[in-house]
């Protein structure tokens, strides 16, 4: 472009327009002298012109190439930098200017007790009753779906326009059509004198119109209840989350935000402890009618259009959570005292169904830094089921990440010396870990500055009890409470009496296998099945560790190659050093856990008596693969300590034979874990196949007559039938069934319905 626009120097001779005759005349003209000096003399200006033109083109090309290369490198560098790093907000804490209410009609209004609700429709009947609750001011926060003429006598309503004029920094980060705009309401309430904030929902009716009936509205002063509070035991440091609904009589119901792998933990507490009241700065109430449940529960318990009406034990005592243990919190039935107002911030970069849950876990962890704790209370509101579909798609990320989030939060530590600095540091760490985005880090910075701007004083830090040696719980410190077993709903069949037969079975299975770790290898697509496997088996086992050829951090799926997956097992053994044992299972084999109760968990289990699974091959006449595997086995056996070698040679008497086991399922009790690890170390870098290594290990650890024979009756076929037919292939009476293909949600549902013959409660999952 620059070359074309550039002016070419003019020739000293006037230009001639050469017509066709001129060309012809020129063609036959007398030839000129072609002496070089003469030619140069006559064409000097042309040479100069061409030279300048070529130089210009070269210069422009060089400049263009260099500029674009530099620009590209700069762009790539900036992009990579944006991906690899998240900017930590820099806040001048001592330079934050106050924000006063100068625009709303309520500038001079003050109240210590506020109810904050989000409204998208005209006032509900529950909200009309809420404004009549004595001593509490209702604040309704509008969004883009709220009718413009929204009005309710006794309530303060903040429209989008009014919110925008308040001067809060957080407004710039909030979506227009979401309940998370309540963050503006929290700041407005604090600005106008709030000491307590009831985070509410416009369809929850406060029972008896009295928030003080169960909640501890007053923590200090004459109105405070000076009493000790029942507390979950911290005896098990590995227990980091609980289902509070069990304590209040509903063991088959679980709250939204409870990791699905913990849904099966339905036993009541062996014992409780106690804590002095006064620092329950966050108080979570339970809802009768439609409690806070997730879409998995909502979809699997519905029989039709009949609304839920689930009731909890109103006489059960409130219960506190010790440091190191968490509980799901929501945004429609929770009281925050002023010491925890900073924990009201609703994240904006996650789905609406996950926002308050993430807030709750984030806030609980930080609450420990000021010596506070959460207490769960009996039913304080009644929410009516509107029979609306719950958006499972918005919850899926929540189900995937919440278990990992809890582990991260419990292990997180900070050396900062002020609470708000710790809050910002944790928000930064959560953005780095992918629990929310950098948008929420910036939102946190805006939120904290707005809190200070409206006059909020951040609480003082206290030493973290988690880092102190835990005191032993003496017999006198143990407090007993046996929850009621109230009627519940299982696939629209009401549970009557105390505990149903099916629930009793589930408790027995959980008690038997609750300290056994299940290790699953998934050959199928983990993005379609990992959650389902955890949901199925997580009810029974201590935990479900999933391995696959491809790592998936979002689904907590670890990487491992099936051919030598045994080399990955010692790492898992180290993580669960208190487990009774480890059960390995491939995803093409179905485990009927109800038929394993009689198995001895101190013995080895393997399908050594199943001829299609366990066999001996001669290396003579077989392929090179058999010979190479046999040579490696021989090499390992020759280096075995005497106790391993004697056991192995007691069974395998010939170097020319090779014991092979398909090894889809086997169990290693804790007393053999050290032996298994030693044998893996003996293999070292040798590429012995899983089907060869596992039988070699088992025959070295113990004699076959000492194995438990529980797997001898498993259904084992070489090939998968054309259809997964329960009549011809599956048997609920067998301990395991192989093969069985599950590669989609539909196939998983079909499997669950068939397995329900042995475990009827499985029908709640589909």
């Amino acid at each position: 472009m620059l070359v074309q626009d550039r002016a070419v120097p003019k020739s000293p001779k006037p230009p001639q327009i050469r017509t066709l005759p001129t060309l012809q005349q020129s063609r036959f003209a007398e030839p000129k002298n072609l002496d070089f000096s003469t030619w140069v003399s006559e064409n000097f200006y042309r040479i100069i012109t061409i030279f300048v033109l070529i130089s210009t083109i070269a210069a422009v090309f060089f400049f263009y190439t260099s500029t674009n290369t530099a620009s590209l490198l700069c762009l790539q560098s900036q992009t990579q930098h944006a991906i690899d790093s998240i900017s930590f907000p820099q806040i001048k804490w001592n330079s934050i200017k106050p924000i006063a209410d100068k625009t709303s009609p309520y500038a001079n209004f003050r109240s210590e007790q506020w109810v904050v609700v989000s409204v998208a429709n005209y006032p509900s009947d529950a909200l009309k009753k809420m404004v009549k609750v004595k001593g509490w001011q209702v604040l309704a926060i509008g969004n883009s779906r709220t009718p413009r003429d929204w009005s309710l006598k006794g309530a303060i309503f903040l429209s989008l326009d009014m919110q925008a004029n308040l001067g809060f920094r957080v407004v710039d980060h909030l979506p227009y059509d979401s309940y998370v705009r309540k963050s503006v309401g929290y700041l407005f309430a604090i600005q106008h004198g709030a000491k307590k904030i009831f985070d509410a929902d416009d369809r929850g009716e406060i029972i008896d119109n009295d928030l003080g009936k169960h909640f501890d509205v007053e923590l200090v002063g004459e109105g405070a209840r000076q009493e000790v509070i029942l507390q979950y035991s911290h005896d098990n440091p590995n227990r980091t989350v609980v289902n509070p609904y069990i304590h209040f009589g509903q063991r088959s119901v679980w709250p939204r935000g409870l990791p699905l792998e913990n849904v099966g933990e339905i036993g009541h507490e062996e014992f409780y402890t106690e804590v002095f009241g006064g620092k329950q700065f966050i108080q979570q109430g339970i809802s009768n009618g439609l409690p806070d449940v997730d879409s998995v529960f909502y979809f699997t318990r519905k029989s039709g259009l009949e609304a839920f009406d689930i009731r909890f034990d109103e006489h059960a005592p409130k219960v506190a959570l010790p440091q190191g243990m968490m509980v799901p919190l929501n945004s429609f039935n929770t009281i925050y005292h002023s010491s925890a107002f900073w924990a009201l911030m609703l994240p904006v970069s996650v789905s609406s169904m996950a926002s308050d849950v993430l807030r709750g876990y984030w806030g609980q962890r930080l609450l420990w830094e000021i010596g506070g704790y959460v207490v769960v209370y009996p039913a304080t509101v009644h929410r009516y089921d509107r029979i609306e579909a719950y958006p499972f798609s918005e919850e899926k990320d929540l189900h995937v990440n919440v278990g990992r989030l809890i582990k991260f939060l419990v292990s997180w530590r900070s050396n900062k010396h002020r609470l708000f600095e710790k809050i910002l540091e944790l928000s930064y760490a959560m953005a780095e870990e992918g629990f929310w985005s950098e948008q929420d880090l910036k939102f946190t910075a805006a939120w904290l500055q707005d809190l200070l701007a409206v006059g909020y004083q951040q609480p003082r830090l206290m030493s973290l009890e988690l880092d102190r040696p835990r005191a032993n719980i003496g017999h006198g410190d143990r407090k007993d409470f046996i929850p009621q077993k109230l009627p519940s709903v299982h696939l629209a069949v009401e549970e009557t009496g105390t505990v149903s037969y099916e629930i009793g079975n589930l408790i027995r299975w959980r008690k038997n296998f609750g300290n056994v770790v299940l290790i699953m290898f998934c050959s199928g697509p983990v993005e379609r099945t990992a959650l389902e496997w955890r949901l199925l088996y997580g009810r029974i086992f201590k935990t479900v560790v999933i391995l696959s050829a491809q790592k998936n951090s979002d689904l907590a799926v670890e990487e491992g190659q099936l051919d030598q997956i045994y080399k990955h097992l010692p790492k898992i053994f180290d993580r669960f050093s208190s487990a009774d044992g480890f059960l390995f299972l491939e995803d093409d084999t179905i485990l009927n856990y109800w038929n394993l109760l009689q198995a001895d968990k101190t013995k080895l289990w393997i399908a050594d008596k199943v001829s299609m699974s366990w066999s001996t091959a001669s290396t003579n006449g077989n392929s090179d693969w058999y010979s190479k595997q046999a040579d490696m086995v021989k090499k390992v056996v020759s280096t075995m300590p005497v106790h391993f070698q004697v056991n192995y040679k007691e069974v395998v008497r010939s170097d020319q034979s090779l014991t092979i086991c398909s090894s889809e399922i086997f169990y290693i009790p804790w007393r053999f874990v050290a032996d298994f690890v030693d044998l893996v170390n003996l293999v070292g870098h040798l590429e012995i196949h899983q089907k060869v290594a596992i039988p070699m290990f088992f025959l070295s650890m113990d004699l076959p007559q000492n194995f438990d024979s529980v797997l001898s009756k498993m259904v084992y076929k070489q090939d998968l039938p054309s259809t997964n037919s329960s009549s011809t292939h599956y048997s609920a009476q067998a301990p395991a069934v192989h093969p069985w293909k599950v590669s989609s949600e539909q196939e998983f549902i079909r499997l669950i319905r068939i397995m329900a013959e042995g475990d009827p409660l499985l029908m709640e999952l589909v």
Side-chain angles (χ1 to χ4, degrees), residues 39-176:
W39 181 84
V40 170
S41 176
E42 292 181 356
N43 295 280
F44 178 75
Y45 290 106
R46 293 179 181 176
I47 294 172
I48 294 299
T49 301
I50 293 172
F51 177 76
V52 172
L53 184 62
I54 293 173
S55 300
T56 303
I57 293 173
V60 171
F61 178 77
F62 176 78
F63 175 77
Y64 178 79
T65 305
S66 301
T67 303
N68 277 278
T69 303
S71 299
L72 179 60
L73 290 174
C74 181
L75 178 61
Q76 288 177 332
S77 174
Q78 291 173 350
T79 303
Q80 189 64 36
H81 179 74
I83 293 173
D84 293 341
S85 64
I86 296 176
S87 300
F88 192 90
Q90 301 300 319
I91 300 176
K92 296 181 179 179
W93 298 104
N94 297 323
S95 303
I96 298 172
K97 296 180 179 180
I99 298 176
D101 182 3
K102 299 178 180 179
T103 59
S104 81
Y106 316 103
N108 297 320
F109 178 78
R110 294 291 182 273
S111 177
E112 291 190 354
Q113 299 181 154
W114 291 73
V115 179
V116 179
V117 298
S118 173
V119 292
N121 301 303
Y122 287 108
S124 64
D125 291 339
L127 195 55
K128 292 175 181 177
K129 294 178 181 178
M130 205 176 294
V131 295
K132 298 179 181 179
V133 176
K134 186 178 180 180
W136 290 82
Q137 175 59 52
V138 172
L139 174 61
I141 306 301
N143 56 51
S144 59
R145 294 175 293 163
T146 310
R148 288 185 174 274
D149 58 345
W150 197 97
S151 177
L152 178 62
K153 185 179 180 180
I156 294 175
F157 172 62
L158 295 182
S159 66
L160 284 177
D161 292 338
M162 294 177 70
Q163 295 170 38
N165 292 328
L166 291 173
F168 298 144
R169 296 169 180 84
V170 297
V171 173
D172 295 335
H173 302 271
L174 296 171
Y176 286 103

Side-chain angles (χ1 to χ4, degrees), residues 508-569:
R508 286 196 302 130
W509 301 331
R510 178 70 189 182
K511 184 176 181 180
N512 192 70
F513 297 111
N515 203 30
V516 172
V517 175
L518 179 65
I519 305 170
M520 277 198 79
F521 185 88
C522 286
S523 300
V526 293
E527 66 276 5
R528 299 179 186 174
T529 59
L531 282 175
E532 285 77 1
W533 289 126
R534 284 200 173 97
L535 187 60
L536 170 60
Y537 293 127
R539 304 155 59 249
I540 307 299
F541 294 94
K542 179 184 182 73
T543 192
V544 179
V545 178
I546 296 183
L547 306 171
S548 182
Q550 296 293 326
K551 182 179 180 180
N552 190 319
S553 300
D554 292 338
L555 296 173
V557 175
E558 303 173 26
E559 183 179 2
Q561 301 303 317
L562 180 58
D563 290 354
Q564 297 181 46
I565 201 67
Y566 60 90
K567 293 183 178 180
H568 192 87
L569 301 187

Side-chain angles (χ1 to χ4, degrees), residues 146-212:
T146 310
R148 288 185 174 274
D149 58 345
W150 197 97
S151 177
L152 178 62
K153 185 179 180 180
I156 294 175
F157 172 62
L158 295 182
S159 66
L160 284 177
D161 292 338
M162 294 177 70
Q163 295 170 38
N165 292 328
L166 291 173
F168 298 144
R169 296 169 180 84
V170 297
V171 173
D172 295 335
H173 302 271
L174 296 171
Y176 286 103
D177 62 345
S178 173
Y179 79 93
V180 301
R181 299 194 69 85
K182 290 170 79 174
S183 293
V184 174
Y186 307 143
L187 290 169
F188 183 89
I190 297 168
Q191 186 184 52
H192 290 263
K195 302 297 182 186
K196 303 110 184 175
I197 294 178
F198 179 48
D199 206 8
D201 176 67
D202 68 348
R203 59 171 163 169
E205 291 188 3
I206 298 173
I207 296 177
D208 296 332
N209 273 2
D210 182 9
L211 284 172

